[in-house]
Amino acid sequence: MIAKKPIYFLTVLAIVFSSFTAFAGGGDTTSKSKDGGRVNTKSEIDGYIKHHLADSHDFTLFSYTNDVGERKHIGFPLPMIVWTSEGLKAFMSSEFHHNDDGHVIVEKGGVKLSKIHSKIYELNEGETAVAFDEAHHAKNAHKVLDFSITKSVFGMLFVGLLMLLGFGSLAKSYKKGAIPTGVGRVLEPLVLYVRDEIAKPNIGEKKYMKFMPYLLTVFFFIWILNLLGLTPFGFNVTGQIAVTVCLALFTLVIYLTNGSKDFWAHTLWMPGVPVILRPILAVIELIGFLLIKPFSLLVRLFANITAGHFVVMSLIALMITLKKDFTVFGSTSISLLLALFITVIEILVAFLQAFIFTMLSSLFIGMAVEEHEHH
């Protein structure tokens, strides 16, 4: 155990240093700047953090300036799938290559497409370039339905594949004996933890098994995605409001469709209270189950993960903002120590947010399937 502690520390340190490298070399690849995309000023830092928190159609691992002063971005493109006025169009995001104005026109099957603020627009018929109004909104183009494999979608597919491989290995190891081997030895304690500390206490001994597949899936899905968000690849999947909304809706559908007769009776026509108050209480209960509970699930996860990313990136940016008042070594040291401290906390938060989402989901499910005793 003592020998492993330096390994854990070095792992965290490597994550922080990788984040430093990604911050110093990256940047908003679609933005204009005089120095080729380098992040030097406060406004550029704000733009970079905003870009990091948003989704993207490609991966930019790092950037550098070559001998002739050109800014080069190293990464890889992702598939773009859009529904236009001429039907479905598919191509790679690399076709929206970098240029001075950031608005490259891609023509596919007679349709002209442009990427504006990470959104795909189709130019109106006869137009050859994007025209903007005073608020920098496209006047001669309209949005298309975007089914592209974005960075967040790629992250979810990747985590799904990891979970299939991991739990597949765990299932196969049980065929060989009662004690799992390999990856299964790591997963089994966590599976038992979700079962014994989350599912059983909140749902009950009789009905918890029915909901274990969902609870295990959502726990590991959120936890692994949160950990990926601490790597320099720029994943911020659970910091996307659309993802947390979908996860909350899954929980909502599960506890509404599995609600017992007693649950609906106590919700819609609460016994033991004056009849005149029952309709009022029914409305309050319905608002709680349909709106407040799912909202608390999605906002808690979204807000905590987004805030964590924002704080870590801001602390890393101190090495840039403090370089005028300190030496390069001094500003970098301060930034490193603070970012290291917050990154260690974020590793805990990654697990904590997965636990809280799963625990609250099991609690809401348990409230819906509970059989009330009438004396």
Side-chain angles (χ1 to χ4, degrees), residues 143-342:
K143 290 182 181 180
V144 299
L145 292 176
D146 192 354
F147 304 103
S148 303
I149 306 298
T150 63
K151 189 161 57 175
S152 293
V153 175
F154 180 86
M156 288 187 283
L157 294 174
F158 178 68
V159 170
L161 178 62
L162 288 180
M163 291 173 63
L164 284 174
L165 295 175
F167 284 102
S169 175
L170 177 61
K172 290 179 181 178
S173 65
Y174 278 127
K175 294 181 180 179
K176 301 176 182 178
I179 301 176
T181 57
V183 180
R185 300 190 71 174
V186 178
L187 292 177
E188 186 187 46
L190 293 170
V191 172
L192 295 178
Y193 178 81
V194 173
R195 184 194 70 181
D196 297 335
E197 303 297 330
I198 299 178
K200 282 185 178 181
N202 293 312
I203 301 177
E205 294 279 351
K206 296 180 180 179
K207 298 184 178 181
Y208 79 92
M209 279 298 296
K210 180 180 179 180
F211 305 100
M212 276 296 292
Y214 173 70
L215 296 177
L216 286 173
T217 300
V218 76
F219 174 81
F220 282 95
F221 184 74
I222 295 174
W223 183 40
I224 299 174
L225 282 174
N226 289 348
L227 291 177
L228 278 180
L230 298 176
T231 64
F233 290 103
F235 285 109
N236 184 33
V237 182
T238 46
Q240 305 293 332
I241 191 69
V243 175
T244 60
V245 166
C246 288
L247 291 173
L249 286 177
F250 285 139
T251 299
L252 172 67
V253 171
I254 288 174
Y255 69 67
L256 287 181
T257 55
N258 288 277
S260 63
K261 293 181 179 179
D262 284 337
F263 165 74
W264 289 111
H266 283 72
T267 300
L268 301 177
W269 202 247
M270 190 175 295
V273 299
V275 175
I276 192 173
L277 294 178
R278 292 185 182 185
I280 301 174
L281 293 175
V283 173
I284 294 173
E285 287 292 316
L286 285 175
I287 292 175
F289 275 101
L290 296 177
L291 296 177
I292 297 176
K293 287 180 172 60
F295 185 76
S296 67
L297 281 176
L298 70 93
V299 167
R300 180 179 285 104
L301 179 60
F302 164 75
N304 279 280
I305 298 303
T306 301
H309 283 235
F310 186 86
V311 170
V312 171
M313 299 296 289
S314 298
L315 291 176
I316 294 175
L318 286 178
M319 66 179 176
I320 299 173
T321 57
L322 294 179
K323 64 182 181 182
K324 295 181 180 179
D325 302 319
F326 296 87
T327 63
V328 174
F329 177 78
S331 61
T332 303
S333 300
I334 295 172
S335 180
L336 172 62
L337 292 175
L338 292 175
L340 176 62
F341 174 72
I342 295 298

